[in-house]
Amino acid sequence: MNQITLHQFQPRKSQKWWTKISLPWTVTVSYLSLILLLPIAALISKSLTLENAEFWQIASSPIALSAYEVTFITALIASLINGVMGTLVAWVLIRYEFPGRKIIDAAVDLPFALPTSVAGLALATAYSDKGLIGQFFAPFGIKIAFTRLGIFVAMLLISLPFVVRTLQPVLQEMERELEEAAWSLGASQLQTFWRVILPPLIPPILTGIALGFSRAVGEYGSVVLVAANIPFQDLIAPVLVFQKLEQYDYAGATVIGTVMLLLSLVLLLGINFLQQWGRRYAQK
């Protein structure tokens, strides 16, 4: 039998912090630094080479403020609408059996795989005044392609899969016995939806909205084709950045990019706060 000596019960000497660094941690930090942290730091440092007054003048110029408003407000409205419509699509794909369901389910992922320029071309063709869909709106004076409505439609398309794919696993694991129990206790369909079905769906819905909003804010390829890109009308911030680069205004482009980055971070922090609230609400 091994003898237990006294030094086995003595506390170990504190190890140096670098001896605790593991290989996975090192690889993770290095990878994130190379593809995320360092590029962001380079963008911000480039914009900070300007004087504060010059930075503020570019960041708050009328054309920049208009581009922020078009980008963020349109993306927010599109992601909120997809929060509702994406929930409905996910519900139908999980709860209903109908011919072609698997094809429609696979088609939901098309915005992930489709090149954004192809998506923009398809939308511009379908929603132009003589297009397959746009021709029904043109007689009423509603112009979709090459207006801000076209941007809205493009953002709806690209942000939809994020809500659907986030919700589907939760809906698949949801126990239908709980709904049947609620009905057997006399709850109406509306009460069952509001008190049994909706609470666990709130966190994934908010997550899908956050992901869709982030994707819509950064969209460029489809929007540049389906919008007219006219300042103060339908010019989004990513296109403004590209226009400044075409004019060799690198500092101005980095300032607009930095402002977009900061605004996106603030909005995502707010959405994360809502997600945490949703989780607490679902656990009640």
Side-chain angles (χ1 to χ4, degrees), residues 92-106:
V92 169
L93 290 175
I94 294 297
R95 293 295 182 96
Y96 290 77
E97 290 289 342
F98 55 91
R101 184 176 66 88
K102 291 184 178 179
I103 296 176
I104 296 176
D105 192 17

Side-chain angles (χ1 to χ4, degrees), residues 134-143:
Q135 61 179 329
F136 297 107
F137 293 90
F140 300 99
I142 302 174
K143 187 177 176 64

Side-chain angles (χ1 to χ4, degrees), residues 37-277:
L37 301 179
L38 290 178
I40 290 176
L43 173 71
I44 296 175
S45 63
K46 177 66 177 177
S47 65
L48 294 180
T49 57
L50 300 175
E51 297 291 336
N52 292 337
E54 189 177 3
F55 182 98
W56 179 249
Q57 182 182 8
I58 297 172
S60 61
S61 62
I63 189 173
L65 293 178
S66 173
Y68 303 146
E69 189 267 333
V70 172
T71 304
F72 286 99
I73 297 299
T74 309
L76 183 61
I77 294 173
S79 57
L80 289 175
I81 289 178
N82 269 337
V84 177
M85 296 309 299
T87 303
L88 179 61
V89 172
W91 179 271
V92 169
L93 290 175
I94 294 297
R95 293 295 182 96
Y96 290 77
E97 290 289 342
F98 55 91
R101 184 176 66 88
K102 291 184 178 179
I103 296 176
I104 296 176
D105 192 17
V108 170
D109 287 332
L110 267 180
F112 285 142
L114 198 66
T116 54
S117 58
V118 177
L121 184 61
L123 291 175
T125 304
Y127 285 94
S128 64
D129 289 347
K130 296 182 180 179
L132 187 63
I133 302 173
Q135 61 179 329
F136 297 107
F137 293 90
F140 300 99
I142 302 174
K143 187 177 176 64
I144 299 178
F146 313 116
T147 67
R148 187 167 177 173
L149 272 178
I151 299 175
F152 173 69
V153 173
M155 289 182 174
L156 281 178
L157 172 68
I158 61 172
S159 60
L160 177 64
F162 291 95
V163 180
V164 177
R165 293 307 183 218
T166 307
L167 270 168
Q168 278 183 318
V170 180
L171 286 172
Q172 284 175 333
E173 295 179 1
M174 187 174 287
E175 298 177 0
R176 298 193 183 188
E177 289 78 6
L178 293 176
E179 301 169 38
E180 295 170 356
W183 294 334
S184 66
L185 293 174
S188 64
Q189 289 190 346
L190 181 60
Q191 289 174 325
T192 303
F193 172 78
W194 191 255
R195 297 188 176 182
V196 177
I197 299 174
L198 184 60
L201 295 182
I202 289 179
I205 290 175
L206 292 176
T207 301
I209 290 174
L211 294 173
F213 171 77
S214 306
R215 181 69 181 85
V217 166
E219 177 60 13
Y220 174 83
S222 61
V223 172
V224 75
L225 290 178
V226 79
N229 306 307
I230 299 175
F232 305 107
Q233 291 186 19
D234 60 353
L235 179 66
I236 61 171
V239 176
L240 178 60
V241 170
F242 187 75
Q243 290 179 349
K244 287 188 173 296
L245 290 174
E246 286 185 322
Q247 299 165 2
Y248 302 103
D249 183 6
Y250 300 116
T254 55
V255 169
I256 303 297
T258 301
V259 172
M260 283 193 65
L261 174 68
L262 296 177
L263 288 175
S264 299
L265 284 175
V266 170
L267 289 172
L268 287 177
L269 286 174
I271 293 173
N272 284 335
F273 174 78
L274 287 176
Q275 286 177 318
Q276 293 177 359
W277 172 82

